[in-house]
């Protein structure tokens, strides 16, 4: 499995402490740099990487170490230094553990997982060699074939770390699928779940009974011809290619009372140098929780305190290339959003996918709060469309490798400009049982379409599909 270790320290690891950590393999291991110096590696005598260390990240957002690692964290701000040993090298786990233990000891802090970083002694690397290139060409890739890049992760939550984000980009550029392999107890961050492209990319979960299965669909998998593929049932035919589903995926779990409120929307702003980005997301966040987002970043952990100015600056610096962001809430009110800012012919688009988590006894926001948030988007933030769903799912928002019921539509909003350009009175005369409600000025309103919103009643999807078909004409 993956040999990842994270040092959480109050002080930034200085060059001497990093060097001391890198000498965990003795003086004969070789050091090199990559990614413009942001990645430091230990090499064997053939130049193949044994250990890769990411540049330290200053985390100023409370709760990220617990959310992603299940670890106790120092008071913010603290430094997050991630190291990864090459899979397939027997001594690699000891090597990366000693590195993290030395860094944490020298600058003050702890390491995750604790059991991996217990020794400061030099690891015997005599005769140690890494896996051959090209499998070791990317620090987060464990197996590379002509079809897929395979990443093996043994973490509580697979997050969109700098490692993984780089691997997503590299696989896409090489026109390869990305398959993430984890043990049964691992979950996905919603950021990774939403970023996984279609086949042959997938989340592969190890299972005692069936071997492997797809963590999102439950299909039983096997390794064949250089990638994980679905297993055909003995009763399969060309007309009905049945795939067995893992029992672990379909195992029924009693309703815990946990819920998620999922909101996805798109705003299209006129291109203007004075445009401030992130305001639409903040407006919804304040309406639902009473406070702004806690933090944001271009990867996980989200490390920066929430700032409209900084979000805008990053997006403008990267234009015309798109910008991807992750935004998080506080431990008291779990929330997570992904934001994609892109320049199009229509202007500057903000595509937002946002979810809030609620435990048993906690009240999901009312229709009035959602309507008010939608009206703010429609009147102040150039809303194009918005969809609200309620899901029976985990409060912490992590994606488990088992079946979770789909979200059920709670409301849909069509922006004022979309309503104006729709032929005739089509937007108002719908097949829904309840008439749409107007948001904003009477002369140019947006329209709010309510649905049942009950996680036990999937009829809301039928209503939603009928509405979409009607609006498209």
């Amino acid at each position: 499995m993956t040999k990842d270790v994270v040092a959480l320290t109050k002080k930034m690891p200085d060059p001497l402490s990093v060097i001391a950590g890198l000498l965990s393999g003795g003086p004969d291991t070789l050091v090199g740099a990559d990614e413009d110096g942001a990645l430091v590696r230990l090499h064997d005598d053939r130049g193949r990487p044994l250990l890769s260390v990411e540049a330290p990240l200053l985390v100023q957002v409370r709760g990220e170490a617990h959310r992603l690692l299940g670890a106790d964290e120092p008071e913010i701000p603290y430094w997050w230094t991630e190291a990864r040993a090459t899979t397939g090298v027997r001594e690699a786990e000891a090597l990366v553990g000693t590195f993290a233990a030395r860094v944490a000891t020298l600058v003050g802090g702890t390491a995750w997982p604790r059991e991996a970083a217990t020794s400061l002694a030099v690891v015997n690397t005599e005769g140690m060699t890494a896996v051959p290139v090209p499998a070791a060409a990317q620090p987060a890739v464990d197996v590379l074939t002509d079809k897929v890049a395979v990443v093996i992760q043994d973490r509580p939550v697979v997050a969109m770390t700098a490692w993984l984000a780089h691997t997503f980009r590299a696989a896409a550029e090489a026109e390869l699928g990305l398959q993430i392999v984890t043990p049964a107890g691992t979950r996905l961050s919603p950021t990774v779940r939403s970023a996984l492209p279609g086949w042959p990319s997938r989340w592969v979960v190890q299972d005692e009974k069936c071997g492997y299965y797809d963590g999102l669909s439950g299909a039983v998998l096997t390794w064949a011809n250089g990638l994980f593929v679905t297993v055909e049932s003995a009763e399969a035919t060309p007309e009905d290619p049945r795939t067995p589903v893992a029992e672990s995926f379909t195992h029924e779990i009693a309703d815990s009372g946990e819920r998620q409120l999922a909101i996805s929307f798109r705003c299209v702003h006129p291109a203007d140098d004075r445009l401030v980005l992130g305001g639409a997301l903040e407006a919804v966040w304040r309406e639902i929780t009473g406070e702004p987002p806690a933090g944001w970043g271009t990867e996980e952990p989200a490390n920066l305190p929430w700032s409209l100015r900084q979000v805008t600056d990053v997006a403008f610096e990267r234009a015309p290339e798109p910008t991807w962001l992750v935004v998080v809430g506080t431990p008291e009110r779990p929330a997570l959003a992904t934001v994609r800012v892109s320049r199009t012919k229509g202007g500057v688009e903000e595509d937002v996918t946002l979810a809030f988590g609620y435990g048993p006894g906690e009240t999901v926001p009312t229709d009035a709060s959602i309507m008010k948030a939608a009206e703010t988007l429609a009147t102040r933030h150039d809303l194009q469309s918005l969809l609200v769903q309620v899901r029976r799912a985990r409060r912490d928002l992590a994606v488990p490798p088992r079946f979770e019921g789909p979200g059920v539509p709670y409301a849909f909003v069509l922006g004022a400009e979309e309503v104006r350009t729709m032929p005739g009175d089509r937007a108002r005369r719908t097949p829904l049982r309840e008439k749409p409600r107007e948001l904003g000025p009477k002369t140019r309103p947006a329209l709010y379409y309510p649905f049942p919103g009950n996680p036990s009643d999937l009829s809301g999807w039928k209503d939603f599909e009928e509405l979409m078909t009607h609006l498209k004409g």
Side-chain angles (χ1 to χ4, degrees):
M1 297 299 293
T2 285
K3 299 172 179 66
D4 294 348
V5 176
V6 180
L8 306 173
T9 58
K10 286 298 294 178
K11 296 180 180 179
M12 179 180 179
D14 57 276
L16 289 178
S17 62
V18 173
I19 291 173
L22 292 172
L23 288 174
S24 58
D28 295 328
T29 50
L30 304 176
V31 178
D34 200 357
E35 304 296 323
D36 296 324
L39 189 69
V40 179
R41 290 176 173 172
L42 278 182
H43 297 272
D44 63 13
D45 56 6
R46 294 167 133 185
R48 297 183 294 196
L50 298 168
L51 170 66
S52 302
V53 182
E54 190 77 16
L57 183 69
L58 181 62
V59 177
Q60 304 174 66
V61 181
R62 185 168 57 91
E64 284 295 87
H66 181 74
R67 179 175 75 89
L68 299 177
L69 302 176
D72 295 331
E73 61 188 13
E75 291 184 7
I76 57 172
Y78 61 89
W79 292 89
W80 178 300
T81 306
E82 189 149 339
R84 177 185 172 92
T86 300
T87 303
V89 180
R90 186 178 60 185
E91 300 87 353
E93 187 170 356
L95 191 67
V96 73
T98 300
F99 167 83
R102 289 185 174 192
V103 169
T105 300
L106 289 170
V107 299
T110 60
W112 174 92
R114 286 185 179 274
E115 61 273 15
T118 56
S119 174
L120 302 176
V122 172
V123 178
N124 181 12
T125 59
E126 184 177 354
M128 182 191 299
T129 57
V131 295
V133 175
Q138 299 294 336
V141 173
D142 296 290
V143 178
L144 189 65
T145 74
D146 60 349
K147 299 179 180 69
V148 295
V150 179
V151 176
I152 306 175
Q153 292 269 277
D154 187 8
R155 304 168 72 128
V157 177
V158 178
M160 190 60 78
T161 60
W163 305 100
L164 198 54
H166 181 73
T167 305
F168 266 99
R169 291 192 296 269
E173 291 170 0
E175 298 183 349
L176 296 173
L178 179 63
Q179 298 191 336
I180 301 174
V181 182
T182 72
T186 294
R187 305 179 300 279
L188 294 188
S189 167
T191 57
V192 176
R193 167 64 181 89
S194 62
L196 266 178
W199 184 90
S201 299
R202 58 177 18 124
W203 176 20
V204 181
V205 180
Q206 294 180 326
D207 185 66
E208 292 182 353
K209 295 182 179 179
C210 67
Y212 300 93
Y213 69 91
D214 189 302
L216 301 178
S217 71
V220 177
L221 304 174
T222 186
W223 179 263
N225 300 320
L227 75 166
F228 283 97
V229 296
T230 55
V231 174
E232 287 190 0
S233 170
E235 295 81 22
T237 65
E239 295 75 24
D240 186 11
R242 303 176 187 177
T243 299
V245 176
E247 181 182 339
S248 299
F249 183 79
T250 57
H251 179 67
E252 187 172 349
I253 298 177
D255 183 6
S256 65
E258 294 177 294
R259 296 290 184 269
Q260 291 178 13
L261 178 69
I263 304 174
S264 55
F265 61 89
R266 171 178 292 178
C267 297
V268 183
H269 312 286
D272 191 317
D273 290 341
R274 296 168 296 178
L275 175 64
V276 176
L277 297 168
L281 174 62
E282 180 176 312
V284 174
W285 209 295
R286 285 184 180 275
E287 188 59 46
I288 299 300
T289 70
E291 57 188 12
W296 72 285
T298 55
E299 60 196 44
E300 290 180 287
N303 66 310
L304 299 170
W306 177 247
S307 167
L308 294 177
R309 179 185 59 79
Q310 290 182 338
V311 167
T312 302
D313 288 346
V314 167
F316 271 76
E317 287 171 5
R318 296 186 175 186
E321 295 298 316
T323 297
W324 180 92
L325 307 172
V326 58
V327 184
V328 298
T330 63
E332 293 76 26
R333 172 55 59 223
L336 186 143
T338 58
V339 182
R340 181 179 173 84
V341 180
S342 53
R343 182 69 182 269
T344 67
K345 293 181 179 179
V348 179
E349 294 187 3
E350 284 185 282
D351 286 284
V352 178
T353 301
L354 168 63
F356 299 95
Y358 298 88
E362 294 181 320
T363 303
V364 177
T366 63
D367 191 53
S369 297
I370 295 172
M371 280 190 65
K372 188 172 180 182
E375 185 165 27
T376 300
L377 293 182
T379 56
R380 300 182 187 177
H381 297 285
D382 309 302
L383 177 69
Q384 184 182 77
S385 62
L386 175 146
L387 174 64
V388 182
Q389 301 175 62
V390 177
R391 297 186 63 222
R392 182 183 293 171
R394 296 174 61 102
R395 182 182 186 270
D396 65 8
L397 308 177
V399 182
R402 61 176 176 79
F403 177 75
E404 285 190 318
V408 175
Y410 189 95
F412 177 76
V413 180
L414 197 62
E417 182 62 17
E418 305 301 308
V419 172
R420 186 188 68 81
T421 57
M422 195 160 289
D425 206 25
R426 183 190 300 167
R428 290 176 175 80
R429 297 182 180 275
T430 73
L432 298 181
R433 288 161 284 181
E434 188 173 342
K435 292 183 177 180
R437 308 168 194 172
E438 293 188 351
L439 302 177
K442 295 289 184 181
T443 55
R444 197 170 179 271
L447 293 180
Y448 179 97
Y449 304 89
F451 297 99
N454 183 350
S456 301
D457 182 5
L458 297 181
S459 65
W461 275 116
K462 181 180 179 181
D463 292 342
F464 179 73
E465 290 171 359
E466 289 181 355
L467 174 63
M468 293 299 101
T469 301
H470 171 79
L471 293 178
K472 292 175 181 177

